[in-house]
Amino acid sequence: MNFRAYRTAFAVHARQVSRYRGAAIGGMVTQAFFGVMLVALYSALAGEGELLRQTATYVWLQQIFFRAFFTTGGEINEQIMSGSVCYSLLRPIDLHFWCVCREMAAKIVGVSMRILPMFLIQFILPENWRMLPPNSLVGFIQFFLSLLIGFCVIAQVNMITAAVTMRTLDNKGFSGLINLVMMILSGNIIPLTLAPERLQAILRWQPFAQMLDAPIRMYLHTASLGEWALSFGVQLAWLVGLTLFSRALWGHNIRRIELQGG
Amino acid sequence: MRYVINAMRMNLRRAAQYRASFWMQTLAQLVMTFGDLWAMLLLAERFGGMAHWSLHEVMFFFGPMQIAFAITEMINRGFGHITTLIRMGSLDTMLTRPRGIAAQVILSELDPRRIGSVAVGLTALIVATRELGVCWTLPNILLILWGMAGAIALMMGLFMLEAVVCLFSVQSVEIVNVFTYGGRQTCQYPLDLYPQWLRITFTFVIPVGLCLQYPICHILGKSLGGVEARAWVWLSPLAGPFFLGLMWLLWRWGLRHYRSTGS
C-alpha cells in the first residue's frame, strides 16, 4: 500500500485547520470559561487539598484537549449530498482510512494550537485552581502514548457517527445523540474520577473512557507496569473493535451509495 | 397577530415533516439535560450534598433553570441562529418586509424539540418537591412562574446581545455563547457555591440571581450568600424584563448600523 496519498491528506488538512485562528481563540475563551466554572464549583465542594488539585487538573486537561472531540465528518456527508462524493470514490484510495487521516490531522493540529494558550490561561488562576505538573516523567510518557490512542479512538467514533449520518442524512438526530453520550461518558461533563467506586469499575472500561479519561488517569497517577499494560490493552482493544465496526459500516454504506444525475 | 399564528403553525408543520429526526433530537435534548442532572447526582453523592445545600435543594434550583432556558431556546432559536441568517442574507430580506424585525427573527425558527429538556427539568423539580415537602400554595406557584418568566426574558435579552455582536462580526459567535450556555451551566447550581466575583456577575450584571434564585430561596425559606430572601423577591424578577428592554434598545441601535455581508 502506498502511504503517500494519506500523508498528503494529513498534511493538507493540517494546514487547513491551522488557518482558523479566530475559531481557535473563540474556542479557547469558551473552554477557559467552562474550566473556571467547573473548578470553582469543585472547589466549593471539595475544599482545599489533594482532591481539589487532582480534580482541577482533570478538568483542565479535558478542556485543553476538548478540540479532539470535534469532527470533520460533516465534509463527507456534504459531498454525498452535493454528489461530489463520486470524485472521492474514483480516487484509488481507501476512503475510510483517508478520512481518518484527515480527522487525525484536524485533531492534532487543532489541539496543538490550543495547548500553550490554554496552559497559560489556567496559570493565571489562584494556585489551588491550577493544573498539577505530571506525576513523573514515566507517567507523562504513559499519558502521551495513551493520549495518541485516545485520539484514534475518538476518530473512529467520529467515523461511526459519520456513517450513521450517511444513512439518515441528518447530522443532529442519532449522530447528535452519540456525540452527547460521548461528552457525558468521556468525563467532559463531570470527571469520571468523582464517580463512586462501584460505578467507576464500570465507567473506566467503556469505550468513551478510552478517549481522554484513560490518559488523564496516567497523568495523575503513574501506573505500575501491570496497570499500564491493562489500561493500554483495553484502549487498543476498543480501538481495534471500533475500527472494524466503523469500517464495516462504511463499506456497507459505500456499496449502497446511489449517484444521481450527471 | 395573524402573521404570528401563521408562522407558528408553519414551524410546527416543519418539525412534523421529519418525524424520526424530530423525536431523535428531542431525545438528544433529554439526554443532554439528563447528563447535567447525572453530574449533579454524582457530585452530591461524592461530597455528601453540596456545601450547605442538600441534593434535593440543588435540584430545586436545577429544575426551573433548565425549564426556563429550554423555553427560551424554544421560542428564541431564531436569535440563536442569527449568524446563519446574516450569512445567508435572510436578515436582509427580512429588513425589506413591513413587519417588526425582532418578531420575524424569532418566528423564523421555533424549536419544539426543547421539550426534552423541559421534561427533565420538570422531573427534577417534582422529585425535589416531594423530598423537601415543599407546599405549592398559590403564592409559591405564582412566584416560581413569575421568576421563570423573568429568567426567560433575561435570557432572551442575552441571545439578543449575542445577535447584536453578530451584526458586527459573524466570527465571534463562540465567544458570546459563553454568556448563554455558560450562564445556564453556572446558574443550575445555587450561586453562593461560587466565588464572590462570579456571584455578583450573575446577580447584578446578568441577573439570573435576582430573577430566579432569590425567589426559589424564598420558597425554600433559605438565604443565599447570607442575604435573606424576603418579600422583595416579588419585585426582583423585574430585572429580567428590564435587561431585555435594554438589549432591545441595543438591538435597534445595532440594526441601524448594520451592514449586510453582501452577496
Side-chain angles (χ1 to χ4, degrees), chain A residues 30 37 44 170 177 180 190 194, chain B residues 21 28 39 46 174 186 193 198:
Chain A
T30 314
M37 280 320 162
D170 164 30
L177 197 61
L180 280 169
I190 178 176
L194 289 180
Chain B
S21 168
R46 181 74 174 74
E174 242 193 301
T186 313
L193 289 176
L198 268 175

Side-chain angles (χ1 to χ4, degrees), chain B residues 88-109:
Chain B
M88 306 288 285
S90 314
L91 188 68
D92 306 357
T93 322
M94 289 178 185
L95 283 167
T96 64
R97 293 189 195 136
R99 291 283 186 276
I101 306 301
Q104 286 189 57
V105 172
I106 287 174
L107 293 170
S108 69
E109 196 174 352

Side-chain angles (χ1 to χ4, degrees), chain A residues 89-112:
Chain A
L89 288 172
L90 281 173
R91 295 195 186 109
I93 49 167
D94 178 326
L95 192 59
H96 180 271
F97 187 55
W98 198 69
C99 287
V100 170
C101 287
R102 290 167 61 89
E103 288 282 354
M104 287 303 286
K107 289 186 199 322
I108 290 172
V109 175
V111 165
S112 315

Side-chain angles (χ1 to χ4, degrees), chain A residues 56-113:
Chain A
T57 311
Y58 193 111
V59 169
W60 285 118
L61 287 170
Q62 280 277 355
Q63 300 299 333
I64 289 175
F65 297 112
F66 180 73
R67 176 61 173 74
F69 288 120
F70 285 18
T71 173
T72 52
E75 272 171 41
I76 186 83
N77 287 309
E78 272 166 34
Q79 283 186 2
I80 289 175
M81 283 196 236
S82 70
S84 61
V85 67
C86 61
Y87 302 117
S88 300
L89 288 172
L90 281 173
R91 295 195 186 109
I93 49 167
D94 178 326
L95 192 59
H96 180 271
F97 187 55
W98 198 69
C99 287
V100 170
C101 287
R102 290 167 61 89
E103 288 282 354
M104 287 303 286
K107 289 186 199 322
I108 290 172
V109 175
V111 165
S112 315
M113 283 165 77

Side-chain angles (χ1 to χ4, degrees), chain B residues 31-82:
Chain B
V31 168
M32 185 180 72
T33 315
F34 185 76
D36 284 337
L37 185 62
W38 182 66
M40 192 170 271
L41 294 173
L42 286 190
L43 285 177
E45 171 153 351
R46 181 74 174 74
F47 298 105
M50 298 198 167
H52 55 284
W53 301 96
S54 73
L55 167 66
H56 295 109
E57 282 165 346
V58 180
M59 275 165 74
F60 206 86
F61 283 88
F62 173 90
M65 182 64 196
Q66 288 289 351
I67 296 171
F69 193 87
I71 292 177
T72 312
E73 280 208 301
M74 221 185 275
I75 51 187
N76 213 16
R77 196 75 196 142
F79 271 104
H81 276 176
I82 190 92

Side-chain angles (χ1 to χ4, degrees), chain A residues 101-200:
Chain A
C101 287
R102 290 167 61 89
E103 288 282 354
M104 287 303 286
K107 289 186 199 322
I108 290 172
V109 175
V111 165
S112 315
M113 283 165 77
R114 288 163 171 81
I115 286 182
L116 194 62
M118 283 295 287
F119 183 76
L120 292 177
I121 290 174
Q122 60 89 30
F123 210 71
I124 55 176
L125 296 171
E127 201 191 347
N128 268 322
W129 291 19
R130 279 183 222 155
M131 256 171 78
L132 291 166
N135 199 265
S136 68
L137 183 64
V138 178
F140 186 73
I141 295 169
Q142 291 173 343
F143 159 74
F144 186 76
L145 290 175
S146 176
L147 189 66
L148 281 181
I149 303 183
F151 280 16
C152 297
V153 172
I154 302 176
Q156 291 305 333
V157 172
N158 291 156
M159 298 304 277
I160 292 172
T161 43
V164 173
T165 314
M166 272 185 220
R167 281 289 181 77
T168 56
L169 288 183
D170 164 30
N171 59 353
K172 289 182 202 141
F174 193 62
S175 330
L177 197 61
I178 299 179
N179 281 332
L180 280 169
V181 172
M182 175 164 80
M183 286 300 141
I184 296 169
L185 291 182
S186 67
N188 188 268
I189 307 278
I190 178 176
L192 297 185
T193 46
L194 289 180
E197 293 292 331
R198 281 168 292 119
L199 195 56
Q200 270 194 60

